Amino acid sequence: MNYIYILLLTEIILLVIAFIACGRDIMSPSVVMVGVFLIATIFAVLNVENWNIEYSFSAYILLSTGLGVFIFTESFFYVVSALLEGKKTYRRISIETEQRIIKVQYWKLFALIIYCIIFLYMQYKDELRIAAGAGFNGSGNFITYYRNAAIIDGSLPEQQINGILRQFLKVITISGYIALFIFINNVIIYRDKILKNIVYLLIVFFACIRAFMEASRLDILKYLIYTVVVTYILLKRKSKWQWNINMKLIKYGILIFLVTLPAFYFISGSIGRTTQQGKSMFEYLSLYVGSGINAFDLYVKNSPDIASGWGGECFTGIQGFFERWGLIERAEVSSGILGFVETENFRTNVYTFFRRPLHDFGVLGMYFFTMFVSSIFAVMYHFILRQKKAGISISSDLYIMIYGYLFMWIACSFMEQYSFTILTPSLPLIFALFYIIYWGLTTKFRWN
C-alpha cells in the first residue's frame, strides 16, 4: 500500500486539529508547520509516478506522529498561557495602542548605506579572489565559480570568505531585517507615505545583494517569510490581538507564494545553480518543495550506518566551534550539507525537519527534539508576544524581529531541520546585533 495518500489525509486532519488546539490562529507555529508539510506532500503526490514513490508505513508513522508531537507541545503551552492570563498572573502594560511611526535620523541611515556599500564591495573582491582560485578568468558568472569553491568544495581556508569580513557582513544582514521591520511598521501598519520610507527598502536591497552574492536563495526566502510573519504580528499588536485575518490578506499571501516559486526557478542559474537545467518549471518546483517528503521515506527504508556523533547533524555549527578549539574531533560526515539520495528522475539532499534528529538521537530522541523546538516557538509566541499585546516598546519590537528571524525554522521545515544553521555559537552575536543596531537607529543623539 502506498501510504503517501494516507499521509496527505492525515496532514489535513492534523491541520484542523492544530488550528483548533492552538487558539484558532492561522499563524501559530503548529498551523504553519503542518500547512507547509501539507503543501510539500501535495507536490509529492503529484509526482508519485514520476518519482516512483511507494511510501512506507514507517515513514508515514514517523512524519505524522512527529507533527502530532509538535502540535501537542504547542497546544500545552497555549492552554497554560490562556489559564495564566485568565488568572491575571501577567501584569498588563497600560500603554494604549497609538499611531506610532518609527523615525530614524537621516545621518544614521546615510552612514548605514555607506557601510553597506563599502563592505559589499569588500565581499565582491574577496569572492572574486575565491572564484579566481577555482578557475574564473573574467568571463562568465563569477558566482558560479565562487559557489563551486566555497560551498560545494570549501575544504580549504582560502576557499572561504575572510572570517573577520564575514562578521562585518552580518551587520548588513541584520540591518536588512531591521529596515524591513521599520518599513512594514510605518507603511503597512500605520499608513505612512512610501516615499518617506523608501530608504529602508534600499537597505533591504543591499542585504539581498549580500545574500545573492553568496549564492543563497534561502536567505532571500527568509526575508519573505519574515515579511509575512512580522506584518501579521504587528497587525495583531495594533489591535491588541483582536484583529482577525481577512480574505484580502490571504489573497496577498497566495500571490506572494505564486510569485516566489517561479522566481526561484529563474534566478537559479544566475547564482551558480544548475539543478534547473533540463527541467520544466513544474519539475523543478516539485523537487524544491516536495522532494523532502520522498527523501525522508527513502532514508527510513535504507538508513545509512554513519557515526556522526551525538548531534552530529543537528548541531553541526556547535560541533565545528568545539572542533576549531580542539575540544572534540568530528566525524568526517558531520557536515551541514547532507548526502544526496537518487532514484530515476529524482535527486535531492533535503529530508524534512525530522531526518537529522532521527539520525542523531533515534526515534524517541526525534520526538524530544521536536518538543524542544516546539517549546521554543510556543513560549515566544504565546508567553512573550501575546502577553505583551498592549505594549509598544523597543523590547517588544525586538521580540517580534527575532521571532520573525527564527521563523524560517518552522516555515522551511518541509525541507530541512535548520537547527544546524540556527543553533550556532554566533546566535548570541545575532541577537546582540539586533539590539545594538535597532537601539542605535531609534535612539536620538543630540550634538552639542
PDB file of all heavy atoms in Angstrom, residues 48-78:
ATOM      1  N   VAL A  48       3.959  11.046  -7.884  1.00  0.00           N
ATOM      2  CA  VAL A  48       4.042   9.656  -7.438  1.00  0.00           C
ATOM      3  C   VAL A  48       4.618   8.756  -8.524  1.00  0.00           C
ATOM      4  O   VAL A  48       5.521   7.945  -8.284  1.00  0.00           O
ATOM      5  CB  VAL A  48       2.664   9.149  -6.984  1.00  0.00           C
ATOM      6  CG1 VAL A  48       2.660   7.625  -6.885  1.00  0.00           C
ATOM      7  CG2 VAL A  48       2.289   9.746  -5.637  1.00  0.00           C
ATOM      8  N   GLU A  49       4.115   8.882  -9.737  1.00  0.00           N
ATOM      9  CA  GLU A  49       4.588   8.034 -10.831  1.00  0.00           C
ATOM     10  C   GLU A  49       5.963   8.472 -11.326  1.00  0.00           C
ATOM     11  O   GLU A  49       6.835   7.637 -11.590  1.00  0.00           O
ATOM     12  CB  GLU A  49       3.577   8.044 -11.970  1.00  0.00           C
ATOM     13  CG  GLU A  49       2.242   7.409 -11.607  1.00  0.00           C
ATOM     14  CD  GLU A  49       1.302   7.343 -12.803  1.00  0.00           C
ATOM     15  OE1 GLU A  49       1.734   7.728 -13.925  1.00  0.00           O
ATOM     16  OE2 GLU A  49       0.147   6.925 -12.622  1.00  0.00           O
ATOM     17  N   ASN A  50       6.169   9.769 -11.447  1.00  0.00           N
ATOM     18  CA  ASN A  50       7.445  10.281 -11.961  1.00  0.00           C
ATOM     19  C   ASN A  50       8.606   9.907 -11.046  1.00  0.00           C
ATOM     20  O   ASN A  50       9.710   9.603 -11.524  1.00  0.00           O
ATOM     21  CB  ASN A  50       7.359  11.795 -12.130  1.00  0.00           C
ATOM     22  CG  ASN A  50       8.568  12.371 -12.823  1.00  0.00           C
ATOM     23  OD1 ASN A  50       9.124  11.773 -13.741  1.00  0.00           O
ATOM     24  ND2 ASN A  50       9.002  13.539 -12.385  1.00  0.00           N
ATOM     25  N   TRP A  51       8.388   9.945  -9.729  1.00  0.00           N
ATOM     26  CA  TRP A  51       9.435   9.625  -8.765  1.00  0.00           C
ATOM     27  C   TRP A  51       9.362   8.182  -8.272  1.00  0.00           C
ATOM     28  O   TRP A  51      10.154   7.794  -7.410  1.00  0.00           O
ATOM     29  CB  TRP A  51       9.348  10.565  -7.556  1.00  0.00           C
ATOM     30  CG  TRP A  51       9.602  12.004  -7.883  1.00  0.00           C
ATOM     31  CD1 TRP A  51      10.131  12.517  -9.025  1.00  0.00           C
ATOM     32  CD2 TRP A  51       9.333  13.133  -7.030  1.00  0.00           C
ATOM     33  NE1 TRP A  51      10.209  13.884  -8.958  1.00  0.00           N
ATOM     34  CE2 TRP A  51       9.727  14.300  -7.735  1.00  0.00           C
ATOM     35  CE3 TRP A  51       8.797  13.276  -5.744  1.00  0.00           C
ATOM     36  CZ2 TRP A  51       9.594  15.570  -7.204  1.00  0.00           C
ATOM     37  CZ3 TRP A  51       8.664  14.550  -5.211  1.00  0.00           C
ATOM     38  CH2 TRP A  51       9.060  15.691  -5.935  1.00  0.00           C
ATOM     39  N   ASN A  52       8.390   7.421  -8.762  1.00  0.00           N
ATOM     40  CA  ASN A  52       8.205   6.023  -8.342  1.00  0.00           C
ATOM     41  C   ASN A  52       8.064   5.903  -6.819  1.00  0.00           C
ATOM     42  O   ASN A  52       8.730   5.090  -6.163  1.00  0.00           O
ATOM     43  CB  ASN A  52       9.376   5.150  -8.821  1.00  0.00           C
ATOM     44  CG  ASN A  52       9.483   5.109 -10.340  1.00  0.00           C
ATOM     45  OD1 ASN A  52       8.477   4.988 -11.032  1.00  0.00           O
ATOM     46  ND2 ASN A  52      10.705   5.230 -10.848  1.00  0.00           N
ATOM     47  N   ILE A  53       7.176   6.708  -6.264  1.00  0.00           N
ATOM     48  CA  ILE A  53       7.000   6.737  -4.811  1.00  0.00           C
ATOM     49  C   ILE A  53       6.159   5.544  -4.353  1.00  0.00           C
ATOM     50  O   ILE A  53       5.048   5.332  -4.838  1.00  0.00           O
ATOM     51  CB  ILE A  53       6.339   8.049  -4.357  1.00  0.00           C
ATOM     52  CG1 ILE A  53       7.231   9.244  -4.693  1.00  0.00           C
ATOM     53  CG2 ILE A  53       6.043   8.019  -2.860  1.00  0.00           C
ATOM     54  CD1 ILE A  53       6.615  10.584  -4.350  1.00  0.00           C
ATOM     55  N   GLU A  54       6.704   4.798  -3.434  1.00  0.00           N
ATOM     56  CA  GLU A  54       5.977   3.747  -2.713  1.00  0.00           C
ATOM     57  C   GLU A  54       6.197   4.012  -1.227  1.00  0.00           C
ATOM     58  O   GLU A  54       7.070   3.437  -0.594  1.00  0.00           O
ATOM     59  CB  GLU A  54       6.479   2.355  -3.112  1.00  0.00           C
ATOM     60  CG  GLU A  54       6.079   1.908  -4.503  1.00  0.00           C
ATOM     61  CD  GLU A  54       4.590   1.637  -4.626  1.00  0.00           C
ATOM     62  OE1 GLU A  54       3.940   1.401  -3.578  1.00  0.00           O
ATOM     63  OE2 GLU A  54       4.072   1.675  -5.756  1.00  0.00           O
ATOM     64  N   TYR A  55       5.390   4.895  -0.698  1.00  0.00           N
ATOM     65  CA  TYR A  55       5.649   5.399   0.646  1.00  0.00           C
ATOM     66  C   TYR A  55       5.431   4.310   1.678  1.00  0.00           C
ATOM     67  O   TYR A  55       4.421   3.590   1.666  1.00  0.00           O
ATOM     68  CB  TYR A  55       4.743   6.591   0.960  1.00  0.00           C
ATOM     69  CG  TYR A  55       5.444   7.687   1.716  1.00  0.00           C
ATOM     70  CD1 TYR A  55       6.345   8.527   1.075  1.00  0.00           C
ATOM     71  CD2 TYR A  55       5.236   7.876   3.079  1.00  0.00           C
ATOM     72  CE1 TYR A  55       7.011   9.537   1.758  1.00  0.00           C
ATOM     73  CE2 TYR A  55       5.886   8.883   3.776  1.00  0.00           C
ATOM     74  CZ  TYR A  55       6.779   9.701   3.102  1.00  0.00           C
ATOM     75  OH  TYR A  55       7.447  10.689   3.788  1.00  0.00           O
ATOM     76  N   SER A  56       6.381   4.198   2.609  1.00  0.00           N
ATOM     77  CA  SER A  56       6.349   3.131   3.603  1.00  0.00           C
ATOM     78  C   SER A  56       5.509   3.519   4.813  1.00  0.00           C
ATOM     79  O   SER A  56       5.328   4.703   5.123  1.00  0.00           O
ATOM     80  CB  SER A  56       7.764   2.791   4.054  1.00  0.00           C
ATOM     81  OG  SER A  56       8.340   3.884   4.754  1.00  0.00           O
ATOM     82  N   PHE A  57       5.034   2.494   5.506  1.00  0.00           N
ATOM     83  CA  PHE A  57       4.269   2.708   6.733  1.00  0.00           C
ATOM     84  C   PHE A  57       5.137   3.355   7.808  1.00  0.00           C
ATOM     85  O   PHE A  57       4.683   4.224   8.554  1.00  0.00           O
ATOM     86  CB  PHE A  57       3.713   1.376   7.234  1.00  0.00           C
ATOM     87  CG  PHE A  57       2.953   1.478   8.512  1.00  0.00           C
ATOM     88  CD1 PHE A  57       1.689   2.046   8.539  1.00  0.00           C
ATOM     89  CD2 PHE A  57       3.499   1.013   9.707  1.00  0.00           C
ATOM     90  CE1 PHE A  57       0.972   2.150   9.732  1.00  0.00           C
ATOM     91  CE2 PHE A  57       2.799   1.119  10.898  1.00  0.00           C
ATOM     92  CZ  PHE A  57       1.527   1.677  10.907  1.00  0.00           C
ATOM     93  N   SER A  58       6.412   2.956   7.879  1.00  0.00           N
ATOM     94  CA  SER A  58       7.315   3.504   8.900  1.00  0.00           C
ATOM     95  C   SER A  58       7.502   5.007   8.726  1.00  0.00           C
ATOM     96  O   SER A  58       7.439   5.776   9.696  1.00  0.00           O
ATOM     97  CB  SER A  58       8.667   2.793   8.838  1.00  0.00           C
ATOM     98  OG  SER A  58       8.539   1.425   9.112  1.00  0.00           O
ATOM     99  N   ALA A  59       7.751   5.438   7.474  1.00  0.00           N
ATOM    100  CA  ALA A  59       7.931   6.870   7.226  1.00  0.00           C
ATOM    101  C   ALA A  59       6.646   7.635   7.508  1.00  0.00           C
ATOM    102  O   ALA A  59       6.677   8.747   8.055  1.00  0.00           O
ATOM    103  CB  ALA A  59       8.374   7.093   5.784  1.00  0.00           C
ATOM    104  N   TYR A  60       5.518   7.038   7.156  1.00  0.00           N
ATOM    105  CA  TYR A  60       4.214   7.669   7.422  1.00  0.00           C
ATOM    106  C   TYR A  60       4.017   7.881   8.917  1.00  0.00           C
ATOM    107  O   TYR A  60       3.632   8.974   9.361  1.00  0.00           O
ATOM    108  CB  TYR A  60       3.089   6.814   6.849  1.00  0.00           C
ATOM    109  CG  TYR A  60       1.745   7.096   7.471  1.00  0.00           C
ATOM    110  CD1 TYR A  60       1.065   8.281   7.208  1.00  0.00           C
ATOM    111  CD2 TYR A  60       1.166   6.178   8.368  1.00  0.00           C
ATOM    112  CE1 TYR A  60      -0.166   8.551   7.807  1.00  0.00           C
ATOM    113  CE2 TYR A  60      -0.055   6.442   8.961  1.00  0.00           C
ATOM    114  CZ  TYR A  60      -0.708   7.631   8.679  1.00  0.00           C
ATOM    115  OH  TYR A  60      -1.911   7.903   9.272  1.00  0.00           O
ATOM    116  N   ILE A  61       4.292   6.851   9.711  1.00  0.00           N
ATOM    117  CA  ILE A  61       4.110   6.938  11.162  1.00  0.00           C
ATOM    118  C   ILE A  61       5.045   7.984  11.759  1.00  0.00           C
ATOM    119  O   ILE A  61       4.646   8.807  12.599  1.00  0.00           O
ATOM    120  CB  ILE A  61       4.345   5.570  11.818  1.00  0.00           C
ATOM    121  CG1 ILE A  61       3.188   4.625  11.502  1.00  0.00           C
ATOM    122  CG2 ILE A  61       4.502   5.711  13.331  1.00  0.00           C
ATOM    123  CD1 ILE A  61       1.849   5.055  12.079  1.00  0.00           C
ATOM    124  N   LEU A  62       6.309   7.974  11.334  1.00  0.00           N
ATOM    125  CA  LEU A  62       7.284   8.920  11.893  1.00  0.00           C
ATOM    126  C   LEU A  62       6.903  10.363  11.584  1.00  0.00           C
ATOM    127  O   LEU A  62       6.972  11.237  12.470  1.00  0.00           O
ATOM    128  CB  LEU A  62       8.676   8.604  11.353  1.00  0.00           C
ATOM    129  CG  LEU A  62       9.336   7.336  11.901  1.00  0.00           C
ATOM    130  CD1 LEU A  62      10.587   6.999  11.103  1.00  0.00           C
ATOM    131  CD2 LEU A  62       9.676   7.500  13.381  1.00  0.00           C
ATOM    132  N   LEU A  63       6.509  10.640  10.343  1.00  0.00           N
ATOM    133  CA  LEU A  63       6.141  12.014   9.975  1.00  0.00           C
ATOM    134  C   LEU A  63       4.866  12.456  10.680  1.00  0.00           C
ATOM    135  O   LEU A  63       4.806  13.558  11.252  1.00  0.00           O
ATOM    136  CB  LEU A  63       5.966  12.125   8.463  1.00  0.00           C
ATOM    137  CG  LEU A  63       7.205  12.395   7.610  1.00  0.00           C
ATOM    138  CD1 LEU A  63       6.807  12.645   6.161  1.00  0.00           C
ATOM    139  CD2 LEU A  63       7.982  13.587   8.132  1.00  0.00           C
ATOM    140  N   SER A  64       3.838  11.636  10.636  1.00  0.00           N
ATOM    141  CA  SER A  64       2.552  12.036  11.203  1.00  0.00           C
ATOM    142  C   SER A  64       2.627  12.175  12.721  1.00  0.00           C
ATOM    143  O   SER A  64       2.088  13.134  13.294  1.00  0.00           O
ATOM    144  CB  SER A  64       1.461  11.043  10.806  1.00  0.00           C
ATOM    145  OG  SER A  64       1.804   9.728  11.192  1.00  0.00           O
ATOM    146  N   THR A  65       3.326  11.241  13.398  1.00  0.00           N
ATOM    147  CA  THR A  65       3.451  11.358  14.858  1.00  0.00           C
ATOM    148  C   THR A  65       4.384  12.501  15.242  1.00  0.00           C
ATOM    149  O   THR A  65       4.184  13.157  16.271  1.00  0.00           O
ATOM    150  CB  THR A  65       3.955  10.046  15.474  1.00  0.00           C
ATOM    151  OG1 THR A  65       5.186   9.651  14.831  1.00  0.00           O
ATOM    152  CG2 THR A  65       2.926   8.942  15.310  1.00  0.00           C
ATOM    153  N   GLY A  66       5.404  12.746  14.411  1.00  0.00           N
ATOM    154  CA  GLY A  66       6.285  13.882  14.673  1.00  0.00           C
ATOM    155  C   GLY A  66       5.523  15.198  14.633  1.00  0.00           C
ATOM    156  O   GLY A  66       5.684  16.058  15.512  1.00  0.00           O
ATOM    157  N   LEU A  67       4.674  15.354  13.630  1.00  0.00           N
ATOM    158  CA  LEU A  67       3.837  16.552  13.550  1.00  0.00           C
ATOM    159  C   LEU A  67       2.868  16.607  14.723  1.00  0.00           C
ATOM    160  O   LEU A  67       2.605  17.680  15.283  1.00  0.00           O
ATOM    161  CB  LEU A  67       3.065  16.562  12.226  1.00  0.00           C
ATOM    162  CG  LEU A  67       3.898  16.777  10.960  1.00  0.00           C
ATOM    163  CD1 LEU A  67       3.054  16.546   9.707  1.00  0.00           C
ATOM    164  CD2 LEU A  67       4.504  18.174  10.926  1.00  0.00           C
ATOM    165  N   GLY A  68       2.332  15.444  15.105  1.00  0.00           N
ATOM    166  CA  GLY A  68       1.417  15.395  16.244  1.00  0.00           C
ATOM    167  C   GLY A  68       2.082  15.826  17.536  1.00  0.00           C
ATOM    168  O   GLY A  68       1.489  16.547  18.347  1.00  0.00           O
ATOM    169  N   VAL A  69       3.333  15.407  17.738  1.00  0.00           N
ATOM    170  CA  VAL A  69       4.080  15.812  18.936  1.00  0.00           C
ATOM    171  C   VAL A  69       4.299  17.328  18.943  1.00  0.00           C
ATOM    172  O   VAL A  69       4.180  17.977  19.995  1.00  0.00           O
ATOM    173  CB  VAL A  69       5.434  15.066  18.996  1.00  0.00           C
ATOM    174  CG1 VAL A  69       6.352  15.694  20.033  1.00  0.00           C
ATOM    175  CG2 VAL A  69       5.213  13.593  19.307  1.00  0.00           C
ATOM    176  N   PHE A  70       4.605  17.892  17.784  1.00  0.00           N
ATOM    177  CA  PHE A  70       4.805  19.342  17.698  1.00  0.00           C
ATOM    178  C   PHE A  70       3.519  20.070  18.084  1.00  0.00           C
ATOM    179  O   PHE A  70       3.541  21.041  18.863  1.00  0.00           O
ATOM    180  CB  PHE A  70       5.231  19.723  16.283  1.00  0.00           C
ATOM    181  CG  PHE A  70       5.756  21.122  16.159  1.00  0.00           C
ATOM    182  CD1 PHE A  70       7.119  21.378  16.196  1.00  0.00           C
ATOM    183  CD2 PHE A  70       4.894  22.194  16.016  1.00  0.00           C
ATOM    184  CE1 PHE A  70       7.608  22.679  16.096  1.00  0.00           C
ATOM    185  CE2 PHE A  70       5.363  23.493  15.913  1.00  0.00           C
ATOM    186  CZ  PHE A  70       6.727  23.735  15.954  1.00  0.00           C
ATOM    187  N   ILE A  71       2.380  19.608  17.553  1.00  0.00           N
ATOM    188  CA  ILE A  71       1.090  20.237  17.852  1.00  0.00           C
ATOM    189  C   ILE A  71       0.764  20.112  19.337  1.00  0.00           C
ATOM    190  O   ILE A  71       0.346  21.085  19.990  1.00  0.00           O
ATOM    191  CB  ILE A  71      -0.034  19.592  17.010  1.00  0.00           C
ATOM    192  CG1 ILE A  71       0.195  19.860  15.525  1.00  0.00           C
ATOM    193  CG2 ILE A  71      -1.401  20.125  17.444  1.00  0.00           C
ATOM    194  CD1 ILE A  71      -0.701  19.034  14.620  1.00  0.00           C
ATOM    195  N   PHE A  72       0.940  18.901  19.885  1.00  0.00           N
ATOM    196  CA  PHE A  72       0.619  18.669  21.293  1.00  0.00           C
ATOM    197  C   PHE A  72       1.437  19.591  22.202  1.00  0.00           C
ATOM    198  O   PHE A  72       0.907  20.165  23.167  1.00  0.00           O
ATOM    199  CB  PHE A  72       0.886  17.204  21.656  1.00  0.00           C
ATOM    200  CG  PHE A  72       0.754  16.913  23.119  1.00  0.00           C
ATOM    201  CD1 PHE A  72      -0.497  16.735  23.699  1.00  0.00           C
ATOM    202  CD2 PHE A  72       1.879  16.839  23.934  1.00  0.00           C
ATOM    203  CE1 PHE A  72      -0.619  16.477  25.063  1.00  0.00           C
ATOM    204  CE2 PHE A  72       1.762  16.591  25.291  1.00  0.00           C
ATOM    205  CZ  PHE A  72       0.506  16.406  25.857  1.00  0.00           C
ATOM    206  N   THR A  73       2.723  19.734  21.901  1.00  0.00           N
ATOM    207  CA  THR A  73       3.593  20.561  22.739  1.00  0.00           C
ATOM    208  C   THR A  73       3.151  22.021  22.710  1.00  0.00           C
ATOM    209  O   THR A  73       3.038  22.669  23.763  1.00  0.00           O
ATOM    210  CB  THR A  73       5.049  20.449  22.273  1.00  0.00           C
ATOM    211  OG1 THR A  73       5.447  19.073  22.255  1.00  0.00           O
ATOM    212  CG2 THR A  73       5.976  21.231  23.189  1.00  0.00           C
ATOM    213  N   GLU A  74       2.908  22.553  21.508  1.00  0.00           N
ATOM    214  CA  GLU A  74       2.480  23.952  21.437  1.00  0.00           C
ATOM    215  C   GLU A  74       1.123  24.147  22.098  1.00  0.00           C
ATOM    216  O   GLU A  74       0.899  25.147  22.803  1.00  0.00           O
ATOM    217  CB  GLU A  74       2.405  24.445  19.992  1.00  0.00           C
ATOM    218  CG  GLU A  74       2.124  25.943  19.948  1.00  0.00           C
ATOM    219  CD  GLU A  74       1.681  26.470  18.596  1.00  0.00           C
ATOM    220  OE1 GLU A  74       1.888  25.770  17.600  1.00  0.00           O
ATOM    221  OE2 GLU A  74       1.121  27.587  18.541  1.00  0.00           O
ATOM    222  N   SER A  75       0.184  23.215  21.875  1.00  0.00           N
ATOM    223  CA  SER A  75      -1.150  23.364  22.460  1.00  0.00           C
ATOM    224  C   SER A  75      -1.077  23.352  23.989  1.00  0.00           C
ATOM    225  O   SER A  75      -1.854  24.051  24.659  1.00  0.00           O
ATOM    226  CB  SER A  75      -2.075  22.253  21.964  1.00  0.00           C
ATOM    227  OG  SER A  75      -1.618  20.977  22.380  1.00  0.00           O
ATOM    228  N   PHE A  76      -0.138  22.583  24.552  1.00  0.00           N
ATOM    229  CA  PHE A  76       0.051  22.576  26.010  1.00  0.00           C
ATOM    230  C   PHE A  76       0.430  23.969  26.497  1.00  0.00           C
ATOM    231  O   PHE A  76      -0.154  24.483  27.463  1.00  0.00           O
ATOM    232  CB  PHE A  76       1.132  21.561  26.382  1.00  0.00           C
ATOM    233  CG  PHE A  76       1.566  21.634  27.822  1.00  0.00           C
ATOM    234  CD1 PHE A  76       0.783  21.077  28.825  1.00  0.00           C
ATOM    235  CD2 PHE A  76       2.743  22.287  28.173  1.00  0.00           C
ATOM    236  CE1 PHE A  76       1.187  21.151  30.161  1.00  0.00           C
ATOM    237  CE2 PHE A  76       3.136  22.369  29.495  1.00  0.00           C
ATOM    238  CZ  PHE A  76       2.357  21.806  30.489  1.00  0.00           C
ATOM    239  N   PHE A  77       1.402  24.583  25.840  1.00  0.00           N
ATOM    240  CA  PHE A  77       1.830  25.921  26.248  1.00  0.00           C
ATOM    241  C   PHE A  77       0.726  26.948  26.004  1.00  0.00           C
ATOM    242  O   PHE A  77       0.577  27.904  26.784  1.00  0.00           O
ATOM    243  CB  PHE A  77       3.100  26.317  25.505  1.00  0.00           C
ATOM    244  CG  PHE A  77       4.347  25.687  26.054  1.00  0.00           C
ATOM    245  CD1 PHE A  77       4.908  24.574  25.449  1.00  0.00           C
ATOM    246  CD2 PHE A  77       4.965  26.197  27.184  1.00  0.00           C
ATOM    247  CE1 PHE A  77       6.048  23.982  25.960  1.00  0.00           C
ATOM    248  CE2 PHE A  77       6.106  25.617  27.710  1.00  0.00           C
ATOM    249  CZ  PHE A  77       6.652  24.499  27.097  1.00  0.00           C
ATOM    250  N   TYR A  78      -0.046  26.768  24.942  1.00  0.00           N
ATOM    251  CA  TYR A  78      -1.154  27.689  24.668  1.00  0.00           C
ATOM    252  C   TYR A  78      -2.189  27.629  25.792  1.00  0.00           C
ATOM    253  O   TYR A  78      -2.657  28.669  26.277  1.00  0.00           O
ATOM    254  CB  TYR A  78      -1.808  27.355  23.339  1.00  0.00           C
ATOM    255  CG  TYR A  78      -3.144  28.044  23.155  1.00  0.00           C
ATOM    256  CD1 TYR A  78      -3.216  29.422  22.929  1.00  0.00           C
ATOM    257  CD2 TYR A  78      -4.335  27.328  23.257  1.00  0.00           C
ATOM    258  CE1 TYR A  78      -4.442  30.062  22.793  1.00  0.00           C
ATOM    259  CE2 TYR A  78      -5.557  27.955  23.116  1.00  0.00           C
ATOM    260  CZ  TYR A  78      -5.615  29.316  22.891  1.00  0.00           C
ATOM    261  OH  TYR A  78      -6.818  29.944  22.769  1.00  0.00           O
TER     262      TYR A  78
END
